[in-house]
Amino acid sequence: MKLLTEKLIQELLNVNEELCLSLYMPTHRSHPENLQDPIRFNNLIKELEKSILTKYSTTETTTHLEPLKKLAEDADFWNHTTEGLAVLSTNGRFEVIKLKVSVEELAIAADSFHTKPLRKYLQSTDRFHVLGVSHHDIQLFEGNRHSLDPIVLSEDVPATIEDALGDELTDKHTTVASYGGSSGESSNMHHGHGGKKEEMDLDAERFFRVIGKSIYENYSRPTGLPLILAALPEHHHQFHEVNINPLLLEKGITVNPKSVSKEILAQRAWEVMEPEYSKRLKNTVDRFEQERANGKGSDDYKEVAIAAVEGRIDTLLVEADRVIAVRITNLVTGNTQKKDLDNPRVDDLLDDMGELVMKMGGKVIVVPTESMPSETGLAAIYRY
């Protein structure tokens, strides 16, 4: 399992193979719902098999499907799923990605990976991280409007003040405990030898500096996700004083995350994120409308395809859950042709457009259907 990042997407886009298998499906976390997941997975494998056989021999088809069939038989894997699953397979590469959102069932055999659902997950603007901080340790969560899940920190990220400061820890004999208040708030009580406030504040400042930098380098910068701080009010001021992370939101959650349930923390996090989410989405849509009025935008897929191959697209808005069975037939002229998705050489036009734009250094944003500024499934802002 890998951290899903733009870098991984770029790696998938750069795969140069004749046959790339892309499979997506919703999954379930618990029994008895997850008992049906491997059955549905096998049904999708059968769809891929039917598509591959239109171009390849039975032996070749069996070889291509072998990694997927092996995964289908892995009982431990199917007992530890989340809300969604993506499996991408080709010669020499097999990626299994668990998603924290449900995805539509889809099985495509084409000459490139179908990455739109992954980009939808990455580029949907409702995703965020929550960093829970105390004077002694940290927690990291990934969330969206529907859920919040803890992240197992990598070995490079210090989880406690001892991990972060080691021998440089000033107040080595102080223990810190949090006691919840009647409203779910809590405060820290310090006891033990050497419990001077000045020493503790110095350690906290250095601790916050170390973990802030580490979270930025290992999570915020690779994913580009906004970061919400969850901590007691006095810790917010200390953390912001030493913060270097440009993705840290100014507003945070003023509560010790360990003193409330995950459900309450998720609710508080979305209360912080929702205005930011709406603002970002509206700014992007407004920008498209303005640029289209100035002749630097379009929602005509034929015009946008030409601009994509010419590298003229700065930002491409793609409608979520929309599939257009059209293929760009010429990567020089941008000519397009309607096709059948059952053909193993045909992918979704919106997916192909997104790939081209990303390869040319442009930005792709997946937009909810109700917020799309066009009825064609796409909207492009041109560089010139």
Side-chain angles (χ1 to χ4, degrees), residues 116 119-127 144-146 270 274 277-285 316-322 350 364-379:
K116 183 189 173 188
R119 290 202 306 275
K120 175 187 174 183
Y121 182 72
L122 278 180
Q123 296 161 348
S124 294
T125 49
D126 67 339
R127 292 176 62 228
N144 56 35
R145 69 176 73 192
H146 304 296
W270 184 242
E274 186 173 20
Y277 163 75
S278 299
K279 176 183 174 183
R280 293 183 180 196
L281 194 57
K282 183 178 185 304
N283 287 346
T284 301
V285 170
L316 179 67
L317 281 62
V318 176
E319 182 178 336
D321 303 322
R322 183 79 170 262
L350 299 181
V364 181
I365 301 175
V366 178
V367 178
T369 301
E370 64 272 14
S371 300
M372 272 298 293
S374 74
E375 297 181 357
T376 61
L378 54 79

Side-chain angles (χ1 to χ4, degrees), residues 213-233:
K213 182 173 183 289
S214 185
I215 292 295
Y216 175 58
E217 291 178 346
N218 289 277
Y219 294 97
S220 297
R221 184 162 61 182
T223 64
L225 294 184
L227 179 66
I228 299 171
L229 180 64
L232 294 174

